[in-house]
Amino acid sequence: GGAAPADRAAAVRGAEEAHAARAAAYEARMQELERRLAESQAKLTPMRDKLLELKRQSVAMLDEREAELSRLRASVAVEGDKAPAAEAAAANGGGGRGSTASEVAALRRQLREARSGAREAREALRVWRETDAGGLEHLKQVVCKYISMDETESEAVFQVIAALLGLSPQEHNELQKARARKMSKGSFLF
């Protein structure tokens, strides 16, 4: 009967060693994921700041152009009644109304410039949206990875997703509670 306790002790030691090896592998995986999270956050912050600045500039440009267009439209509407007569007078040699014709021409030039500026602002906004698509592609990759993981590995990837989405502390806590609820029920993501 002395071999059985020795066999059990060896089996327990073997199980403990296997568990320790799995725990070490899990810890190494967690450290790698935490390192990747820190790298992603370090890359994301300047990109997010740049995108926000581009967005702010684009919106300011659009607002400026819209205000300029409104002013020019109002000026053209006021001068619009005078324009045909002024143009006719200018064509007939003036008669003192040449300054009104030149004002109308100047307003038309300003209107063309304002429209050109609005086109530039729309283009800047389009570029910003295309640039943001890279961020969305990264988010898509991270979410796909998150869905494909089992729950024991998901915490670090969840942190990456939370950073990419810019979750507030309240939103982050609510999602953490929901994740804990789902894990306690045996379900993971869906």
Side-chain angles (χ1 to χ4, degrees):
D7 289 341
R8 277 186 286 201
V12 168
R13 274 193 308 278
E16 288 173 345
E17 290 171 2
H19 177 71
R22 282 193 305 274
Y26 175 76
E27 184 61 33
R29 177 75 173 142
M30 286 303 296
Q31 288 175 356
E32 172 64 16
L33 289 172
E34 287 171 357
R35 182 189 64 76
R36 291 165 105 186
L37 170 64
E39 287 175 1
S40 293
Q41 287 175 334
K43 290 177 185 176
L44 184 63
T45 299
M47 288 172 37
R48 182 182 292 134
D49 292 345
K50 183 177 179 182
L51 287 173
L52 289 173
E53 179 59 23
L54 283 171
K55 180 180 179 183
R56 186 196 63 72
Q57 288 174 355
S58 296
V59 168
M61 215 187 242
L62 282 171
D63 290 344
E64 182 181 303
R65 295 302 180 195
E66 286 298 321
E68 187 175 347
L69 280 171
S70 294
R71 284 190 306 274
L72 290 172
R73 283 183 185 126
S75 295
V76 168
V78 168
E79 293 294 326
D81 294 335
K82 299 177 188 174
E87 289 171 356
N92 292 330
R97 298 201 43 134
S99 63
T100 304
S102 64
E103 289 171 3
V104 169
L107 287 174
R108 286 185 176 149
R109 187 178 61 254
Q110 289 175 354
L111 183 59
R112 280 192 305 273
E113 290 170 1
R115 286 180 178 152
S116 173
R119 277 192 301 275
E120 290 172 12
R122 280 192 290 277
E123 177 63 15
L125 187 58
R126 183 191 63 75
V127 168
W128 175 79
R129 285 181 178 146
E130 287 175 1
T131 304
D132 190 44
L136 291 176
E137 180 63 28
H138 182 62
L139 177 61
K140 179 177 100 177
Q141 291 170 0
V142 171
V143 169
C144 289
K145 182 172 183 130
Y146 180 68
I147 291 170
S148 67
M149 297 179 122
D150 57 50
E151 61 257 47
T152 59
E153 300 177 298
S154 67
E155 181 59 30
V157 178
F158 173 78
Q159 297 302 328
V160 172
I161 293 170
L164 285 170
L165 294 175
L167 296 179
S168 70
Q170 180 183 0
E171 292 168 325
H172 188 272
N173 289 337
E174 288 173 10
L175 289 179
Q176 282 288 50
K177 288 175 188 174
R179 289 180 72 237
R181 246 188 346 268
K182 286 181 178 245
M183 283 188 211
S184 71
K185 292 180 181 177
S187 70
F188 176 46
L189 185 59
F190 300 104

